[in-house]
Amino acid sequence: MKKIISLVVLLAAVTMTAQAQGVKFGVKGGLNITKMSVSKDVADPDNQTGFYVGPTVKLSLPLGFGVDIAALYDQRSAKIEADGDTGIQGAGNEKITQKSLNIPVNARYNIGLGSKAGIYLAVGPQFGFPVGDKVYNTQLGEYRLNDANLSFNFGAGVYLLKHLEIGFTYNLAAGKSGEFKNFNDVDTHNNAWQIGAAVYF
C-alpha cells in the first residue's frame, strides 16, 4: 500500500513538473519609499521608508513575454506634519504605519543579454488589503484606511543566472487609500518607489 501511495505521489509530481516547466517559484522582498499625498493643504507628508516580503511565482511565455504574481506583506510609514490650515492647536509631527497584504499581477517582457542575463519590464495592477489596524487616531482626527485598494505597478530591472532579479517599481495609487474623519474633502494617496530583489528556485 505504501509503495502504491509513493508511486501515485511520484507520478503526480512528475506530471506537475512537466506541466509547469515555464513556472518558477521564489521569494521577493525590498524597500518601500512612500510619498503620502493629500488633496488639500492640511498636511505636509514626508518620504518615509518601509519594506515588503513574500512568495512569488513567475510564468514564462513565448517571445519573451511572461507574468508574475506575488503575495506580499507590505509595511509603509507616512509622517504627517500639520500646517496652519488645520485650525487644530498643537497638531504636530506624527507617523502612521500601514500594514497590508498586497497582490501584484504583472505582465512582463524580457530582453535577453546572453544566456545568463537580461533586462525585464513589468506593468500591472496591484490589489491591497489592510492587515492589523485600519483606524488611526491622530491629532488631525481619525484616519481610516480603505478595506481594499487598487494601484498600478511600473517596473524594470535585470535578471542574472536565471535565478536572481534586481529591480525597481513605481507603485501608483489608483484612488484614495484612506481619509480623515474631520476633513471629508481630504483624500490620501499612498504612492511608493520600491527597490528590491527576487530569488527563484
Side-chain angles (χ1 to χ4, degrees), residues 105-128:
V105 182
N106 295 319
R108 300 166 55 102
Y109 182 67
N110 302 312
I111 304 170
L113 301 177
S115 61
K116 296 185 178 181
I119 298 171
Y120 71 87
L121 305 174
V123 61
Q126 176 169 287
F127 307 94

mmCIF file with all atom_site columns, all heavy atoms in Angstrom, residues 105-128:
data_model
loop_
_atom_site.group_PDB
_atom_site.id
_atom_site.type_symbol
_atom_site.label_atom_id
_atom_site.label_alt_id
_atom_site.label_comp_id
_atom_site.label_asym_id
_atom_site.label_entity_id
_atom_site.label_seq_id
_atom_site.pdbx_PDB_ins_code
_atom_site.Cartn_x
_atom_site.Cartn_y
_atom_site.Cartn_z
_atom_site.occupancy
_atom_site.B_iso_or_equiv
_atom_site.pdbx_formal_charge
_atom_site.auth_seq_id
_atom_site.auth_comp_id
_atom_site.auth_asym_id
_atom_site.auth_atom_id
_atom_site.pdbx_PDB_model_num
ATOM 1   N N   . VAL A 1 105 ? -0.051 41.671 -9.842  1.00 0.00 ? 105 VAL A N   1
ATOM 2   C CA  . VAL A 1 105 ? -0.166 40.791 -11.006 1.00 0.00 ? 105 VAL A CA  1
ATOM 3   C C   . VAL A 1 105 ? 0.445  41.551 -12.181 1.00 0.00 ? 105 VAL A C   1
ATOM 4   O O   . VAL A 1 105 ? -0.193 42.437 -12.756 1.00 0.00 ? 105 VAL A O   1
ATOM 5   C CB  . VAL A 1 105 ? -1.627 40.414 -11.289 1.00 0.00 ? 105 VAL A CB  1
ATOM 6   C CG1 . VAL A 1 105 ? -1.703 39.461 -12.486 1.00 0.00 ? 105 VAL A CG1 1
ATOM 7   C CG2 . VAL A 1 105 ? -2.280 39.795 -10.067 1.00 0.00 ? 105 VAL A CG2 1
ATOM 8   N N   . ASN A 1 106 ? 1.669  41.224 -12.524 1.00 0.00 ? 106 ASN A N   1
ATOM 9   C CA  . ASN A 1 106 ? 2.409  41.997 -13.509 1.00 0.00 ? 106 ASN A CA  1
ATOM 10  C C   . ASN A 1 106 ? 2.605  41.237 -14.821 1.00 0.00 ? 106 ASN A C   1
ATOM 11  O O   . ASN A 1 106 ? 3.004  40.070 -14.806 1.00 0.00 ? 106 ASN A O   1
ATOM 12  C CB  . ASN A 1 106 ? 3.796  42.363 -12.969 1.00 0.00 ? 106 ASN A CB  1
ATOM 13  C CG  . ASN A 1 106 ? 3.716  43.296 -11.778 1.00 0.00 ? 106 ASN A CG  1
ATOM 14  O OD1 . ASN A 1 106 ? 2.919  44.218 -11.755 1.00 0.00 ? 106 ASN A OD1 1
ATOM 15  N ND2 . ASN A 1 106 ? 4.541  43.040 -10.774 1.00 0.00 ? 106 ASN A ND2 1
ATOM 16  N N   . ALA A 1 107 ? 2.328  41.904 -15.929 1.00 0.00 ? 107 ALA A N   1
ATOM 17  C CA  . ALA A 1 107 ? 2.742  41.403 -17.243 1.00 0.00 ? 107 ALA A CA  1
ATOM 18  C C   . ALA A 1 107 ? 4.193  41.808 -17.451 1.00 0.00 ? 107 ALA A C   1
ATOM 19  O O   . ALA A 1 107 ? 4.599  42.912 -17.080 1.00 0.00 ? 107 ALA A O   1
ATOM 20  C CB  . ALA A 1 107 ? 1.853  41.986 -18.329 1.00 0.00 ? 107 ALA A CB  1
ATOM 21  N N   . ARG A 1 108 ? 4.990  40.919 -18.048 1.00 0.00 ? 108 ARG A N   1
ATOM 22  C CA  . ARG A 1 108 ? 6.428  41.153 -18.187 1.00 0.00 ? 108 ARG A CA  1
ATOM 23  C C   . ARG A 1 108 ? 6.872  41.000 -19.634 1.00 0.00 ? 108 ARG A C   1
ATOM 24  O O   . ARG A 1 108 ? 6.266  40.266 -20.406 1.00 0.00 ? 108 ARG A O   1
ATOM 25  C CB  . ARG A 1 108 ? 7.214  40.140 -17.334 1.00 0.00 ? 108 ARG A CB  1
ATOM 26  C CG  . ARG A 1 108 ? 6.921  40.174 -15.864 1.00 0.00 ? 108 ARG A CG  1
ATOM 27  C CD  . ARG A 1 108 ? 7.475  38.927 -15.180 1.00 0.00 ? 108 ARG A CD  1
ATOM 28  N NE  . ARG A 1 108 ? 8.882  38.752 -15.447 1.00 0.00 ? 108 ARG A NE  1
ATOM 29  C CZ  . ARG A 1 108 ? 9.855  39.061 -14.581 1.00 0.00 ? 108 ARG A CZ  1
ATOM 30  N NH1 . ARG A 1 108 ? 9.547  39.554 -13.390 1.00 0.00 ? 108 ARG A NH1 1
ATOM 31  N NH2 . ARG A 1 108 ? 11.119 38.866 -14.876 1.00 0.00 ? 108 ARG A NH2 1
ATOM 32  N N   . TYR A 1 109 ? 7.967  41.690 -19.930 1.00 0.00 ? 109 TYR A N   1
ATOM 33  C CA  . TYR A 1 109 ? 8.637  41.465 -21.205 1.00 0.00 ? 109 TYR A CA  1
ATOM 34  C C   . TYR A 1 109 ? 10.133 41.385 -20.928 1.00 0.00 ? 109 TYR A C   1
ATOM 35  O O   . TYR A 1 109 ? 10.716 42.286 -20.302 1.00 0.00 ? 109 TYR A O   1
ATOM 36  C CB  . TYR A 1 109 ? 8.357  42.586 -22.205 1.00 0.00 ? 109 TYR A CB  1
ATOM 37  C CG  . TYR A 1 109 ? 9.004  42.343 -23.543 1.00 0.00 ? 109 TYR A CG  1
ATOM 38  C CD1 . TYR A 1 109 ? 8.570  41.295 -24.353 1.00 0.00 ? 109 TYR A CD1 1
ATOM 39  C CD2 . TYR A 1 109 ? 10.060 43.127 -23.981 1.00 0.00 ? 109 TYR A CD2 1
ATOM 40  C CE1 . TYR A 1 109 ? 9.164  41.051 -25.581 1.00 0.00 ? 109 TYR A CE1 1
ATOM 41  C CE2 . TYR A 1 109 ? 10.659 42.892 -25.211 1.00 0.00 ? 109 TYR A CE2 1
ATOM 42  C CZ  . TYR A 1 109 ? 10.210 41.850 -26.000 1.00 0.00 ? 109 TYR A CZ  1
ATOM 43  O OH  . TYR A 1 109 ? 10.798 41.597 -27.211 1.00 0.00 ? 109 TYR A OH  1
ATOM 44  N N   . ASN A 1 110 ? 10.742 40.285 -21.334 1.00 0.00 ? 110 ASN A N   1
ATOM 45  C CA  . ASN A 1 110 ? 12.150 40.036 -21.058 1.00 0.00 ? 110 ASN A CA  1
ATOM 46  C C   . ASN A 1 110 ? 13.001 40.254 -22.311 1.00 0.00 ? 110 ASN A C   1
ATOM 47  O O   . ASN A 1 110 ? 12.643 39.816 -23.402 1.00 0.00 ? 110 ASN A O   1
ATOM 48  C CB  . ASN A 1 110 ? 12.341 38.594 -20.564 1.00 0.00 ? 110 ASN A CB  1
ATOM 49  C CG  . ASN A 1 110 ? 11.528 38.303 -19.315 1.00 0.00 ? 110 ASN A CG  1
ATOM 50  O OD1 . ASN A 1 110 ? 11.550 39.077 -18.365 1.00 0.00 ? 110 ASN A OD1 1
ATOM 51  N ND2 . ASN A 1 110 ? 10.799 37.195 -19.323 1.00 0.00 ? 110 ASN A ND2 1
ATOM 52  N N   . ILE A 1 111 ? 14.124 40.925 -22.132 1.00 0.00 ? 111 ILE A N   1
ATOM 53  C CA  . ILE A 1 111 ? 15.080 41.168 -23.218 1.00 0.00 ? 111 ILE A CA  1
ATOM 54  C C   . ILE A 1 111 ? 16.395 40.499 -22.827 1.00 0.00 ? 111 ILE A C   1
ATOM 55  O O   . ILE A 1 111 ? 17.074 40.932 -21.898 1.00 0.00 ? 111 ILE A O   1
ATOM 56  C CB  . ILE A 1 111 ? 15.305 42.675 -23.433 1.00 0.00 ? 111 ILE A CB  1
ATOM 57  C CG1 . ILE A 1 111 ? 13.962 43.373 -23.702 1.00 0.00 ? 111 ILE A CG1 1
ATOM 58  C CG2 . ILE A 1 111 ? 16.283 42.915 -24.575 1.00 0.00 ? 111 ILE A CG2 1
ATOM 59  C CD1 . ILE A 1 111 ? 14.053 44.879 -23.692 1.00 0.00 ? 111 ILE A CD1 1
ATOM 60  N N   . GLY A 1 112 ? 16.738 39.416 -23.516 1.00 0.00 ? 112 GLY A N   1
ATOM 61  C CA  . GLY A 1 112 ? 17.938 38.677 -23.176 1.00 0.00 ? 112 GLY A CA  1
ATOM 62  C C   . GLY A 1 112 ? 19.216 39.390 -23.585 1.00 0.00 ? 112 GLY A C   1
ATOM 63  O O   . GLY A 1 112 ? 19.296 39.989 -24.653 1.00 0.00 ? 112 GLY A O   1
ATOM 64  N N   . LEU A 1 113 ? 20.202 39.322 -22.697 1.00 0.00 ? 113 LEU A N   1
ATOM 65  C CA  . LEU A 1 113 ? 21.525 39.880 -22.973 1.00 0.00 ? 113 LEU A CA  1
ATOM 66  C C   . LEU A 1 113 ? 22.571 38.772 -22.972 1.00 0.00 ? 113 LEU A C   1
ATOM 67  O O   . LEU A 1 113 ? 23.693 38.955 -22.535 1.00 0.00 ? 113 LEU A O   1
ATOM 68  C CB  . LEU A 1 113 ? 21.892 40.940 -21.919 1.00 0.00 ? 113 LEU A CB  1
ATOM 69  C CG  . LEU A 1 113 ? 20.950 42.134 -21.809 1.00 0.00 ? 113 LEU A CG  1
ATOM 70  C CD1 . LEU A 1 113 ? 21.394 43.060 -20.685 1.00 0.00 ? 113 LEU A CD1 1
ATOM 71  C CD2 . LEU A 1 113 ? 20.892 42.899 -23.129 1.00 0.00 ? 113 LEU A CD2 1
ATOM 72  N N   . GLY A 1 114 ? 22.168 37.618 -23.424 1.00 0.00 ? 114 GLY A N   1
ATOM 73  C CA  . GLY A 1 114 ? 23.027 36.438 -23.363 1.00 0.00 ? 114 GLY A CA  1
ATOM 74  C C   . GLY A 1 114 ? 22.268 35.318 -22.686 1.00 0.00 ? 114 GLY A C   1
ATOM 75  O O   . GLY A 1 114 ? 21.098 35.450 -22.351 1.00 0.00 ? 114 GLY A O   1
ATOM 76  N N   . SER A 1 115 ? 22.936 34.218 -22.464 1.00 0.00 ? 115 SER A N   1
ATOM 77  C CA  . SER A 1 115 ? 22.269 33.048 -21.894 1.00 0.00 ? 115 SER A CA  1
ATOM 78  C C   . SER A 1 115 ? 22.014 33.165 -20.399 1.00 0.00 ? 115 SER A C   1
ATOM 79  O O   . SER A 1 115 ? 21.191 32.439 -19.849 1.00 0.00 ? 115 SER A O   1
ATOM 80  C CB  . SER A 1 115 ? 23.099 31.794 -22.165 1.00 0.00 ? 115 SER A CB  1
ATOM 81  O OG  . SER A 1 115 ? 24.378 31.916 -21.557 1.00 0.00 ? 115 SER A OG  1
ATOM 82  N N   . LYS A 1 116 ? 22.706 34.084 -19.725 1.00 0.00 ? 116 LYS A N   1
ATOM 83  C CA  . LYS A 1 116 ? 22.599 34.128 -18.264 1.00 0.00 ? 116 LYS A CA  1
ATOM 84  C C   . LYS A 1 116 ? 22.202 35.484 -17.708 1.00 0.00 ? 116 LYS A C   1
ATOM 85  O O   . LYS A 1 116 ? 22.231 35.697 -16.496 1.00 0.00 ? 116 LYS A O   1
ATOM 86  C CB  . LYS A 1 116 ? 23.926 33.707 -17.640 1.00 0.00 ? 116 LYS A CB  1
ATOM 87  C CG  . LYS A 1 116 ? 24.297 32.260 -17.943 1.00 0.00 ? 116 LYS A CG  1
ATOM 88  C CD  . LYS A 1 116 ? 25.543 31.835 -17.211 1.00 0.00 ? 116 LYS A CD  1
ATOM 89  C CE  . LYS A 1 116 ? 25.866 30.376 -17.481 1.00 0.00 ? 116 LYS A CE  1
ATOM 90  N NZ  . LYS A 1 116 ? 27.081 29.931 -16.762 1.00 0.00 ? 116 LYS A NZ  1
ATOM 91  N N   . ALA A 1 117 ? 21.816 36.425 -18.548 1.00 0.00 ? 117 ALA A N   1
ATOM 92  C CA  . ALA A 1 117 ? 21.449 37.748 -18.053 1.00 0.00 ? 117 ALA A CA  1
ATOM 93  C C   . ALA A 1 117 ? 20.471 38.410 -19.004 1.00 0.00 ? 117 ALA A C   1
ATOM 94  O O   . ALA A 1 117 ? 20.363 38.038 -20.172 1.00 0.00 ? 117 ALA A O   1
ATOM 95  C CB  . ALA A 1 117 ? 22.689 38.627 -17.879 1.00 0.00 ? 117 ALA A CB  1
ATOM 96  N N   . GLY A 1 118 ? 19.757 39.398 -18.501 1.00 0.00 ? 118 GLY A N   1
ATOM 97  C CA  . GLY A 1 118 ? 18.811 40.123 -19.332 1.00 0.00 ? 118 GLY A CA  1
ATOM 98  C C   . GLY A 1 118 ? 18.152 41.249 -18.570 1.00 0.00 ? 118 GLY A C   1
ATOM 99  O O   . GLY A 1 118 ? 18.431 41.489 -17.393 1.00 0.00 ? 118 GLY A O   1
ATOM 100 N N   . ILE A 1 119 ? 17.271 41.945 -19.271 1.00 0.00 ? 119 ILE A N   1
ATOM 101 C CA  . ILE A 1 119 ? 16.513 43.063 -18.715 1.00 0.00 ? 119 ILE A CA  1
ATOM 102 C C   . ILE A 1 119 ? 15.032 42.716 -18.803 1.00 0.00 ? 119 ILE A C   1
ATOM 103 O O   . ILE A 1 119 ? 14.593 42.068 -19.752 1.00 0.00 ? 119 ILE A O   1
ATOM 104 C CB  . ILE A 1 119 ? 16.785 44.361 -19.505 1.00 0.00 ? 119 ILE A CB  1
ATOM 105 C CG1 . ILE A 1 119 ? 18.265 44.729 -19.410 1.00 0.00 ? 119 ILE A CG1 1
ATOM 106 C CG2 . ILE A 1 119 ? 15.911 45.504 -19.005 1.00 0.00 ? 119 ILE A CG2 1
ATOM 107 C CD1 . ILE A 1 119 ? 18.644 45.877 -20.334 1.00 0.00 ? 119 ILE A CD1 1
ATOM 108 N N   . TYR A 1 120 ? 14.267 43.142 -17.802 1.00 0.00 ? 120 TYR A N   1
ATOM 109 C CA  . TYR A 1 120 ? 12.825 42.922 -17.882 1.00 0.00 ? 120 TYR A CA  1
ATOM 110 C C   . TYR A 1 120 ? 12.081 44.225 -17.620 1.00 0.00 ? 120 TYR A C   1
ATOM 111 O O   . TYR A 1 120 ? 12.551 45.113 -16.900 1.00 0.00 ? 120 TYR A O   1
ATOM 112 C CB  . TYR A 1 120 ? 12.367 41.845 -16.882 1.00 0.00 ? 120 TYR A CB  1
ATOM 113 C CG  . TYR A 1 120 ? 12.414 42.267 -15.436 1.00 0.00 ? 120 TYR A CG  1
ATOM 114 C CD1 . TYR A 1 120 ? 11.339 42.918 -14.836 1.00 0.00 ? 120 TYR A CD1 1
ATOM 115 C CD2 . TYR A 1 120 ? 13.540 42.009 -14.657 1.00 0.00 ? 120 TYR A CD2 1
ATOM 116 C CE1 . TYR A 1 120 ? 11.380 43.306 -13.513 1.00 0.00 ? 120 TYR A CE1 1
ATOM 117 C CE2 . TYR A 1 120 ? 13.590 42.393 -13.338 1.00 0.00 ? 120 TYR A CE2 1
ATOM 118 C CZ  . TYR A 1 120 ? 12.510 43.034 -12.765 1.00 0.00 ? 120 TYR A CZ  1
ATOM 119 O OH  . TYR A 1 120 ? 12.552 43.424 -11.450 1.00 0.00 ? 120 TYR A OH  1
ATOM 120 N N   . LEU A 1 121 ? 10.914 44.340 -18.232 1.00 0.00 ? 121 LEU A N   1
ATOM 121 C CA  . LEU A 1 121 ? 9.971  45.424 -17.988 1.00 0.00 ? 121 LEU A CA  1
ATOM 122 C C   . LEU A 1 121 ? 8.688  44.808 -17.450 1.00 0.00 ? 121 LEU A C   1
ATOM 123 O O   . LEU A 1 121 ? 8.280  43.724 -17.897 1.00 0.00 ? 121 LEU A O   1
ATOM 124 C CB  . LEU A 1 121 ? 9.679  46.200 -19.277 1.00 0.00 ? 121 LEU A CB  1
ATOM 125 C CG  . LEU A 1 121 ? 10.888 46.769 -20.025 1.00 0.00 ? 121 LEU A CG  1
ATOM 126 C CD1 . LEU A 1 121 ? 10.441 47.371 -21.359 1.00 0.00 ? 121 LEU A CD1 1
ATOM 127 C CD2 . LEU A 1 121 ? 11.594 47.823 -19.187 1.00 0.00 ? 121 LEU A CD2 1
ATOM 128 N N   . ALA A 1 122 ? 8.048  45.470 -16.500 1.00 0.00 ? 122 ALA A N   1
ATOM 129 C CA  . ALA A 1 122 ? 6.846  44.899 -15.889 1.00 0.00 ? 122 ALA A CA  1
ATOM 130 C C   . ALA A 1 122 ? 5.813  45.985 -15.636 1.00 0.00 ? 122 ALA A C   1
ATOM 131 O O   . ALA A 1 122 ? 6.151  47.111 -15.258 1.00 0.00 ? 122 ALA A O   1
ATOM 132 C CB  . ALA A 1 122 ? 7.207  44.200 -14.578 1.00 0.00 ? 122 ALA A CB  1
ATOM 133 N N   . VAL A 1 123 ? 4.550  45.644 -15.844 1.00 0.00 ? 123 VAL A N   1
ATOM 134 C CA  . VAL A 1 123 ? 3.463  46.578 -15.569 1.00 0.00 ? 123 VAL A CA  1
ATOM 135 C C   . VAL A 1 123 ? 2.215  45.762 -15.216 1.00 0.00 ? 123 VAL A C   1
ATOM 136 O O   . VAL A 1 123 ? 1.997  44.683 -15.768 1.00 0.00 ? 123 VAL A O   1
ATOM 137 C CB  . VAL A 1 123 ? 3.191  47.494 -16.783 1.00 0.00 ? 123 VAL A CB  1
ATOM 138 C CG1 . VAL A 1 123 ? 2.774  46.676 -18.006 1.00 0.00 ? 123 VAL A CG1 1
ATOM 139 C CG2 . VAL A 1 123 ? 2.139  48.544 -16.452 1.00 0.00 ? 123 VAL A CG2 1
ATOM 140 N N   . GLY A 1 124 ? 1.425  46.282 -14.280 1.00 0.00 ? 124 GLY A N   1
ATOM 141 C CA  . GLY A 1 124 ? 0.206  45.566 -13.937 1.00 0.00 ? 124 GLY A CA  1
ATOM 142 C C   . GLY A 1 124 ? -0.465 46.100 -12.691 1.00 0.00 ? 124 GLY A C   1
ATOM 143 O O   . GLY A 1 124 ? 0.090  46.945 -11.975 1.00 0.00 ? 124 GLY A O   1
ATOM 144 N N   . PRO A 1 125 ? -1.663 45.607 -12.390 1.00 0.00 ? 125 PRO A N   1
ATOM 145 C CA  . PRO A 1 125 ? -2.414 46.062 -11.217 1.00 0.00 ? 125 PRO A CA  1
ATOM 146 C C   . PRO A 1 125 ? -1.911 45.403 -9.939  1.00 0.00 ? 125 PRO A C   1
ATOM 147 O O   . PRO A 1 125 ? -1.307 44.327 -9.964  1.00 0.00 ? 125 PRO A O   1
ATOM 148 C CB  . PRO A 1 125 ? -3.847 45.619 -11.535 1.00 0.00 ? 125 PRO A CB  1
ATOM 149 C CG  . PRO A 1 125 ? -3.658 44.376 -12.365 1.00 0.00 ? 125 PRO A CG  1
ATOM 150 C CD  . PRO A 1 125 ? -2.424 44.634 -13.194 1.00 0.00 ? 125 PRO A CD  1
ATOM 151 N N   . GLN A 1 126 ? -2.173 46.071 -8.831  1.00 0.00 ? 126 GLN A N   1
ATOM 152 C CA  . GLN A 1 126 ? -1.872 45.511 -7.511  1.00 0.00 ? 126 GLN A CA  1
ATOM 153 C C   . GLN A 1 126 ? -3.086 45.713 -6.616  1.00 0.00 ? 126 GLN A C   1
ATOM 154 O O   . GLN A 1 126 ? -3.647 46.806 -6.539  1.00 0.00 ? 126 GLN A O   1
ATOM 155 C CB  . GLN A 1 126 ? -0.655 46.196 -6.896  1.00 0.00 ? 126 GLN A CB  1
ATOM 156 C CG  . GLN A 1 126 ? -0.337 45.725 -5.483  1.00 0.00 ? 126 GLN A CG  1
ATOM 157 C CD  . GLN A 1 126 ? 1.011  46.223 -5.005  1.00 0.00 ? 126 GLN A CD  1
ATOM 158 O OE1 . GLN A 1 126 ? 2.057  45.750 -5.443  1.00 0.00 ? 126 GLN A OE1 1
ATOM 159 N NE2 . GLN A 1 126 ? 1.007  47.186 -4.106  1.00 0.00 ? 126 GLN A NE2 1
ATOM 160 N N   . PHE A 1 127 ? -3.491 44.644 -5.932  1.00 0.00 ? 127 PHE A N   1
ATOM 161 C CA  . PHE A 1 127 ? -4.654 44.675 -5.052  1.00 0.00 ? 127 PHE A CA  1
ATOM 162 C C   . PHE A 1 127 ? -4.163 44.621 -3.608  1.00 0.00 ? 127 PHE A C   1
ATOM 163 O O   . PHE A 1 127 ? -3.400 43.719 -3.241  1.00 0.00 ? 127 PHE A O   1
ATOM 164 C CB  . PHE A 1 127 ? -5.578 43.498 -5.365  1.00 0.00 ? 127 PHE A CB  1
ATOM 165 C CG  . PHE A 1 127 ? -5.945 43.408 -6.824  1.00 0.00 ? 127 PHE A CG  1
ATOM 166 C CD1 . PHE A 1 127 ? -5.207 42.609 -7.700  1.00 0.00 ? 127 PHE A CD1 1
ATOM 167 C CD2 . PHE A 1 127 ? -6.997 44.153 -7.338  1.00 0.00 ? 127 PHE A CD2 1
ATOM 168 C CE1 . PHE A 1 127 ? -5.529 42.538 -9.043  1.00 0.00 ? 127 PHE A CE1 1
ATOM 169 C CE2 . PHE A 1 127 ? -7.322 44.096 -8.679  1.00 0.00 ? 127 PHE A CE2 1
ATOM 170 C CZ  . PHE A 1 127 ? -6.588 43.279 -9.536  1.00 0.00 ? 127 PHE A CZ  1
ATOM 171 N N   . GLY A 1 128 ? -4.570 45.595 -2.792  1.00 0.00 ? 128 GLY A N   1
ATOM 172 C CA  . GLY A 1 128 ? -4.080 45.691 -1.428  1.00 0.00 ? 128 GLY A CA  1
ATOM 173 C C   . GLY A 1 128 ? -5.202 45.578 -0.409  1.00 0.00 ? 128 GLY A C   1
ATOM 174 O O   . GLY A 1 128 ? -6.299 46.120 -0.608  1.00 0.00 ? 128 GLY A O   1
#
